[in-house]
Structure formats: C-alpha cells, structure tokens
Amino acid sequence: VYLLFQALHQISQRTISTASRQYVNRVPEHQKLFQEDNGLPVHLKGGAKDALLYRTTMGLAVCGTAYVLYYLLMSSVPKKPN
C-alpha cells in the first residue's frame, strides 16, 4: 500500500512539474504591429484572418438586415382575401 501511494505521489508530482510551459512575451511585437501607421484600420491589421472575419461579419449583417426588411415589408402589406 505504501509503495502504491509513493508511486502515485511521484506520478502526480511529475505531471504537475512538467505541465508548466515557457511562454514568450509577444506583447511588444503586437504593440509594434498595431501602432504602425500603414493606413489600415485596427481591426484589419492582423492579416488575412482578420479580413476574412470582417467580411464574414459584414456579409451576415447585410443579409440579416435584408431579411428583417423583407419580413417587415411582408407583414405591413395586407393579405388578399380568398
């Protein structure tokens, strides 16, 4: 029983000690990128991924607005009696 407890203790200590990772501080890199004056708005300075996300969001917003306006128009027009 003692050996089992000792083995479990060693395994738990090993997984805890190896779980810590070394992280690189990238804040200065990002500050330089986002403060650079290159004529782009801040929400597009991240590259192609940001541009794709922006265009998708704008597309969904336009489609949603058109959908709402269509149903607002349809609900404001009275139906013809049969």
Side-chain angles (χ1 to χ4, degrees):
V1 175
Y2 177 73
L3 291 176
L4 179 63
F5 177 73
Q6 188 177 9
L8 288 174
H9 181 70
Q10 285 178 350
I11 290 171
S12 67
Q13 291 296 86
R14 191 176 314 135
T15 57
I16 290 172
S17 66
T18 59
S20 64
R21 296 180 183 167
Q22 294 292 330
Y23 290 104
V24 178
N25 184 9
R26 294 188 180 178
V27 172
E29 294 173 24
H30 290 294
Q31 283 177 338
K32 183 185 275 188
L33 173 72
F34 286 103
Q35 290 176 355
E36 182 179 298
D37 187 20
N38 56 3
L40 288 174
V42 71
H43 58 273
L44 294 177
K45 286 190 177 188
K49 189 169 64 170
D50 283 349
L52 179 65
L53 184 61
Y54 174 74
R55 289 183 180 141
T56 303
T57 304
M58 287 298 113
L60 287 172
V62 167
C63 291
T65 302
Y67 182 75
V68 166
L69 290 175
Y70 172 76
Y71 275 98
L72 189 63
L73 179 67
M74 289 295 112
S75 64
S76 66
V77 175
K79 291 186 177 184
K80 295 179 182 178
N82 289 333

